Amino acid sequence: MVFTSVAVSLEWNRNNLILRRGASQILINAEHVQSLRTQESEDSFINFFRTTALQNREARRVFLSWERKDSELLNKIYKEMMS
């Protein structure tokens, strides 16, 4: 599956996941990527992503603004990580 979103671009760099839109970027570090990939369900993936992988309030705020532009964004990231 190829990741496509109108809101962000996705890039892998040394097992880190980088999400980008314009000048904003969010980095999900390799440890969190590994934890995300081992989640039992999509619900636990989403919970871990929102509470832990997004490491601070600013990252969560930026990600929420991106989700307003692409309501399926987290689902697409889940599919990308599990493929």
Side-chain angles (χ1 to χ4, degrees), residues 31-54:
E31 283 176 41
H32 288 152
V33 167
Q34 198 56 46
S35 296
L36 284 163
R37 286 191 161 142
T38 59
Q39 296 300 307
E40 298 291 313
S41 68
E42 190 169 354
D43 286 342
S44 64
F45 175 95
I46 288 169
N47 185 49
F48 185 89
F49 189 93
R50 289 194 188 285
T51 59
T52 308
L54 294 173

Side-chain angles (χ1 to χ4, degrees), residues 50-62:
R50 289 194 188 285
T51 59
T52 308
L54 294 173
Q55 293 186 292
N56 56 50
R57 188 179 320 151
E58 180 64 14
R60 289 189 281 276
R61 188 187 64 73
V62 169

Side-chain angles (χ1 to χ4, degrees), residues 4-38:
T4 53
S5 170
V6 294
V8 301
S9 64
L10 180 151
E11 176 188 320
W12 291 100
N13 186 329
R14 297 191 186 115
N15 295 325
N16 296 309
L17 173 65
I18 302 167
L19 300 167
R20 239 186 221 114
R21 177 181 175 90
S24 301
Q25 74 175 29
I26 296 175
L27 178 122
I28 308 298
N29 69 36
E31 283 176 41
H32 288 152
V33 167
Q34 198 56 46
S35 296
L36 284 163
R37 286 191 161 142
T38 59

Side-chain angles (χ1 to χ4, degrees), residues 70-82:
D70 182 350
S71 61
E72 292 293 306
L73 183 57
L74 202 43
N75 188 273
K76 292 173 182 178
I77 293 169
Y78 173 77
K79 288 179 177 159
E80 167 74 18
M81 285 199 163
M82 297 306 169

